[in-house]
Every structure is written in structure tokens, then in C-alpha cells.
Amino acid sequence: MNRNSEKFTLAGHAGSMEGLLDFPADTPRGIALVAHPHPLYGGTMDNKVTQTLARAFVALGYVVARINFRGVGASEGVHDHGVGETDDMQLLYEHMRGLYPGLPVALSGFSFGTFVQSELQERLAAAGTPVERLALIGSAAGKWAMADIPADTILIHGELDDTIPLSAVFDWARPQDIPVIVIPGADHFFHRKLNHIKNLVIALWHGDKPAIAADDH
């Protein structure tokens, strides 16, 4: 945690939730909620891909909120197969909207976190409060019944992902006509490819052509 980060706790449906806020240097232009990978396989809000997404949104000028899902770290409760986790992420959404009224909200997630965020965006759209945009990394398509996503979703996947095969992501994205950005040589956890994720999200959010810096992870 750096000096521009702040830990917090929030009352969830299954007990207290442990979270972290990351702040941009200037007044936030938006809110980004970032969801981590599967809790039963070691996923936490400090996962490297999750941290990379947080850094990308901070660079874009967003205040970023992350929580540990149920049973992870100091968050209470037990894993609820994505349903309770989506409920808790919705509570986080409502909490952040209360802290920063009027700001647009972006959703992002990695692996299991993409399932949670796709479910949340569908709920919010149905309620008449659609989010600004989604960025889904290592989509859980094929492992989970992912909701349909908006046409402008940033969808990034690793060429060599053997946890969630690229073919499964294409099968999910194809009927929706959603482009899939493939990072050559990347595995599920994007080892040595984290800067690709950060730079792609930043550039594509603005509609620019991405410039990929060397990755030192």
C-alpha cells in the first residue's frame, strides 16, 4: 500500500468486507471498481493483475475501490459461487456512489472477477443506471455463465491461457460481436505481460493506439 492508498471496511451481506482505495493525483474524474480472481484458488485484491488494473485506472484519473471477497483476508463470510460476491460488489458500488456522487463508474475484473462484474453491469443496466464501461481481463467465459456485455467492453485475453482457453472466450464473444484483444505468449496470469494490460486499458479507454512498454514483472 502506498501513500495514495487507504484501507477501509464496509458492512456486507455476510459480514465485514475488507477493502482498499487507490487515489489519483488530482480530483477523480470517475470511480473504478476492480474485482479479483477466484477466492478458492488464492485470489485476493492484491493479485498482480488486479493491482495492475488499479494502477491503470488511477493513471486515467479514477479513484479505485477493491474488496476482498467473502472469506478472503479480513472479509467475513464464505464463498457464494459468485452470487453473494456480486451482491457485495453492488454494495461497494452504492457506497462509492455515495462518496462521489455524480461521477461515472467503470467496472473491471480478472478471471472470476470478470463473472462478478459482468453480472453487476447487467443488474445496473436493468435498473436504468448503466456503468460507463467494462474492462475484463482473462474472462471466465466457459467456466462461468457470463452475462452479455456492452459493445464497447475492453476484452483482453492471453494467447496461451490454459485455465480459460482462448477458444472459449471467442465462443462467448462471437455472438455478441465483441472484439477480443489477444496478448501473444501470455498465460492466464499474464506473467511478464502486465504492462501490456496497463497500457492497453489506458490507451483504449481514450481511443488511442497503445504504445506497449517493456515489462519488468
Side-chain angles (χ1 to χ4, degrees):
M1 188 173 68
N2 60 45
R3 64 181 181 177
N4 293 320
S5 299
E6 177 183 296
K7 289 185 176 180
F8 69 94
T9 57
L10 185 64
H13 295 288
S16 178
M17 299 189 297
E18 175 186 32
L20 184 67
L21 297 177
D22 299 294
F23 301 98
D26 300 316
T27 302
R29 67 159 301 272
I31 301 163
L33 308 185
V34 178
H36 70 69
H38 205 295
L40 300 186
Y41 298 99
T44 75
M45 65 181 179
D46 295 322
N47 169 270
K48 284 188 176 182
V49 178
T50 307
Q51 290 187 52
T52 298
L53 288 168
R55 289 196 294 269
F57 280 101
V58 166
L60 286 165
Y62 287 67
V63 56
V64 179
R66 297 177 263 165
I67 55 170
N68 273 329
F69 287 136
R70 300 177 181 198
V72 177
S75 289
E76 298 174 338
V78 296
H79 177 62
D80 194 33
H81 308 285
V83 178
E85 287 78 7
T86 304
D87 292 340
D88 291 340
M89 190 61 68
Q90 186 167 359
L91 280 179
L92 179 62
Y93 166 86
E94 294 165 357
H95 174 71
M96 294 302 295
R97 286 290 301 273
L99 292 178
Y100 297 93
L103 289 186
V105 179
L107 302 181
S108 187
F110 167 51
S111 194
F112 171 77
T114 67
F115 169 73
V116 171
Q117 299 295 45
S118 69
E119 289 290 302
L120 179 56
Q121 69 82 25
E122 186 175 59
R123 287 186 188 183
L124 296 174
T129 55
V131 297
E132 179 185 15
R133 200 174 185 188
L134 289 174
L136 304 181
I137 314 302
S139 163
K143 293 276 186 182
W144 296 79
M146 299 278 289
D148 286 348
I149 54 176
D152 65 349
T153 298
I154 296 173
L155 194 58
I156 300 173
H157 210 78
E159 177 193 17
L160 304 181
D161 191 328
D162 59 1
T163 300
I164 303 167
L166 182 58
S167 60
V169 179
F170 281 136
D171 288 345
W172 170 61
R174 189 179 297 112
Q176 303 177 71
D177 199 24
I178 305 291
V180 181
I181 300 166
V182 180
I183 297 182
D187 60 14
H188 183 62
F189 293 99
F190 296 89
H191 293 301
R192 302 190 66 81
K193 305 290 185 179
L194 294 176
N195 272 348
H196 287 62
I197 293 171
K198 180 181 176 183
N199 293 336
L200 281 166
V201 170
I202 290 171
L204 293 168
W205 210 261
H206 289 309
D208 301 330
K209 181 178 179 180
I212 306 300
D215 203 312
D216 57 0
H217 294 280

